[in-house]
Amino acid sequence: MTNIAIVEDDVKTQELLKSYLADFTAKSGEEFRVHCFENPVNFLTDYRANYDIVLMDIELPHMNGMEVSHKLREMDKSVTLIFVTNMAQFAVEGYAVDAFDYIVKPVSCDDFALKLDRALKRIRRASDVKLKIAVNYSIKLILSSQLKYVEVIGHKLIYHTVSDGNLTTTGTLKEVEEKLAGKGFAKCNNCYLVNLRFVTGIEKQTVTVGDEELQISYPKRKDFMRALNDHLGSGSGGGGRLK
């Protein structure tokens, strides 16, 4: 799950970008959690460094997008910033705020998809951890971005992946947890280490990861929910905290 903030005061443009994201999901399977901000002041006030991508207009009320981006960089130096604007003459100044790219309005679906795909590949390169595991006398390399969760049963570890199905090997969950520290994984109980990007729902004592339900143990619930809320953020743009 990729967290995206859209900072855009025009509601029609917000809806257009969200429709393009939905189209991208339908074609690629990549899922997005989208937060929209019409007011850049609210965006900055509520900001927490939990977004992967910020889509930034330049013509905004109260302050322009370049000013917003400078303040954003004071709080978050790593988020991928893309300008979406009809003021291309200003967007090319994006090097000053380390902008990844810019998209000129009116935005076409094909151009948007192309640049979004490039941004996602950059994010994966920067954040991926390569896990080397032994499976049936061979070695498999798994990227952390493709790992939904790891399950332990006795002395066996089962890696539940997006593209390679379930891979079984030996080891301890603690070893895997140490390798993935700081990469958006958390234990919902002593049996499961979950990639928070793939969380799609929470009930009282269960978490939905992709399309699977896993149990949340009472002792782990508080820490797991804290990790999940830190991952999601609590901005007024539609995130909110989970309980």
Side-chain angles (χ1 to χ4, degrees), residues 44 56 63-77 81 83 93-98:
L44 292 172
M56 179 77 68
M63 65 177 76
N64 67 46
M66 289 302 296
E67 292 175 294
V68 179
S69 298
H70 279 286
K71 293 183 180 297
L72 170 64
R73 282 297 180 225
E74 293 174 7
M75 298 183 284
D76 189 344
K77 297 188 183 303
L81 176 62
F83 288 115
E93 298 175 12
Y95 67 87
V97 289
D98 192 27

Side-chain angles (χ1 to χ4, degrees), residues 81-125:
L81 176 62
I82 300 176
F83 288 115
V84 183
T85 182
N86 55 16
M87 301 178 68
Q89 69 272 26
F90 292 102
V92 294
E93 298 175 12
Y95 67 87
V97 289
D98 192 27
F100 175 70
D101 211 333
Y102 69 94
I103 303 171
V104 178
K105 296 179 181 178
V107 182
S108 75
C109 187
D110 288 344
D111 188 37
F112 181 83
L114 177 66
K115 296 188 176 183
L116 177 63
D117 185 59
R118 289 181 58 233
L120 291 171
K121 287 177 179 175
R122 179 210 200 193
I123 292 167
R124 292 191 189 104
R125 285 195 300 270

